[in-house]
């Protein structure tokens, strides 16, 4: 140990720290670009958000909203499923903390000689757990907000003659905003899972970690700004 740093932090090389900083920057940067892009360069997620508002406007004018409740409940169950799976992944990563020898042998079997000490492997595993915990917290909050969305959906006006058009529009916009917040947290959780998977490459060395993180970022950018899904959402007169 050097100074007051724990051994598992002191064991990381400067290149390891650079690889970790690069991955964190890409993780933050992809999320920032998706939500703070130039005007007219909308992401796939934001295009879907426009449909959320349209959905709530129509739901507010329906007397029977059983289908809307079922759809929102399905979105909520997706967040619940991924939160549960992330918990299992966290448990598996924690179990790795007691299997450093096995982890080293696997890394050497894949990449040959791995220039990394056992404390360094411990630090990498803790970083992997940090990504997974962040994803879990995002999924749990998404689950909670989708629950709020169900309550707001149930309180929508529009099925009574005395409801004004202004009231209907305001409450529909509120319901869509709650839905959008839940979806944003869900997407942030997914993004953290992707970068957690990239962190697995760190066991093979800092350079593979940087390459894996860059590939994940490129995949996310393509899905948000260059995918077939975005093309289908972009054109109003889409015919397939």
């Amino acid at each position: 140990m050097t100074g007051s740093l724990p051994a598992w932090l002191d064991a990381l090389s400067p290149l390891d720290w650079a690889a970790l900083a690069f991955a964190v920057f890409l993780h933050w940067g992809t999320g920032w670009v998706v939500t703070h892009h130039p005007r007219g360069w909308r992401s796939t997620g934001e295009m879907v958000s426009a449909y959320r508002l349209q959905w709530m406007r129509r739901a507010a004018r329906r007397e029977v909203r059983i289908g809307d409740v079922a759809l929102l409940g399905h979105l909520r169950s997706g967040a619940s499923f991924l939160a549960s799976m992330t918990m299992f992944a966290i448990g598996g990563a924690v179990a790795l903390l007691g299997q450093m020898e096995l982890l080293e042998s696997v890394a050497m079997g894949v990449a040959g000689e791995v220039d990394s000490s056992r404390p360094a492997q411990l630090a990498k595993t803790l970083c992997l757990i940090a990504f997974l915990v962040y994803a879990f917290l995002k999924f749990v909050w998404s689950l909670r907000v989708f629950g709020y969305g169900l309550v707001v959906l149930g309180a929508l006006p529009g099925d009574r003659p005395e409801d004004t058009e202004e009231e209907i529009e305001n409450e529909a916009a509120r319901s869509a905003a709650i839905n959008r917040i839940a979806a944003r947290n869900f997407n942030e959780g997914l993004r953290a899972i992707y970068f957690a998977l990239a962190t697995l490459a760190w066991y093979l060395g800092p350079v593979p970690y940087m390459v894996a993180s860059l590939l994940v970022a490129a995949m996310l950018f393509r899905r948000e700004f260059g995918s077939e899904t975005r093309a289908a959402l972009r054109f109003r007169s889409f015919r397939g």
Side-chain angles (χ1 to χ4, degrees):
M1 180 181 297
T2 301
S4 60
L5 281 178
W8 54 272
L9 281 178
D10 194 35
L12 292 176
S13 68
L15 189 56
D16 281 318
W17 283 111
L20 178 60
F22 183 66
V24 171
F25 172 77
L26 288 178
H27 176 252
W28 172 84
T30 50
W32 190 89
V33 171
V34 166
T35 56
H36 297 81
H37 47 74
R39 187 180 298 273
W41 194 36
R42 300 172 68 197
S43 65
T44 301
E46 288 203 345
M47 288 183 177
V48 173
S49 290
Y51 282 93
R52 296 180 193 278
L53 178 57
Q54 183 177 344
W55 172 20
M56 291 304 146
R57 281 173 173 168
R58 292 179 176 177
R61 290 167 172 82
R62 282 194 278 265
E63 292 187 9
V64 180
R65 298 169 184 151
I66 296 176
D68 303 301
V69 171
L71 286 172
L72 199 52
H74 180 71
L75 294 175
R76 191 169 185 266
S77 66
S80 176
F81 172 78
L82 284 177
S84 300
M85 292 301 100
T86 306
M87 275 296 295
F88 285 121
I90 292 171
V94 170
L96 280 178
L97 296 175
Q99 301 291 332
M100 289 294 105
E101 290 185 6
L102 177 62
L103 190 60
E104 289 176 1
S105 64
V106 171
M108 292 180 66
V110 173
E113 188 67 25
V114 178
D115 185 18
S116 184
S117 63
R118 190 167 301 179
Q121 299 286 25
L122 174 64
K124 295 171 184 178
T125 305
L126 291 174
C127 290
L128 171 63
I129 293 173
F131 271 115
L132 293 173
V133 168
Y134 179 82
F136 172 75
L137 294 175
K138 285 295 182 179
F139 287 136
V140 169
W141 184 237
S142 174
L143 176 64
R144 188 72 180 271
V145 178
F146 273 129
Y148 295 155
L150 282 169
V151 175
V152 175
L153 175 63
L156 281 178
D159 55 350
R160 302 175 302 172
E162 62 268 26
D163 294 325
T164 65
E165 191 66 22
E166 183 179 1
E167 288 175 332
I168 294 173
E169 284 295 317
N170 286 340
E171 293 305 316
R174 190 193 314 277
S175 184
I178 295 293
N179 198 319
R180 191 178 300 116
I181 293 169
R184 186 180 70 239
N185 281 274
F186 182 84
N187 290 335
E188 289 173 355
L190 279 179
R191 195 177 303 120
I193 290 292
Y194 292 144
F195 279 95
L197 292 174
T199 304
L200 294 175
W202 199 6
Y203 294 110
L204 306 180
V207 174
Y209 184 28
M210 287 189 280
V211 172
S213 299
L214 191 60
L215 289 175
V216 166
M219 178 192 68
L220 292 174
F221 273 111
R222 182 189 175 279
R223 289 183 176 181
E224 290 292 342
F225 300 106
S227 64
E228 293 181 353
T229 303
R230 183 180 184 277
L233 292 169
R234 183 179 180 184
F235 298 105
R236 294 183 180 274
S237 59
F238 183 74
R239 291 293 183 269

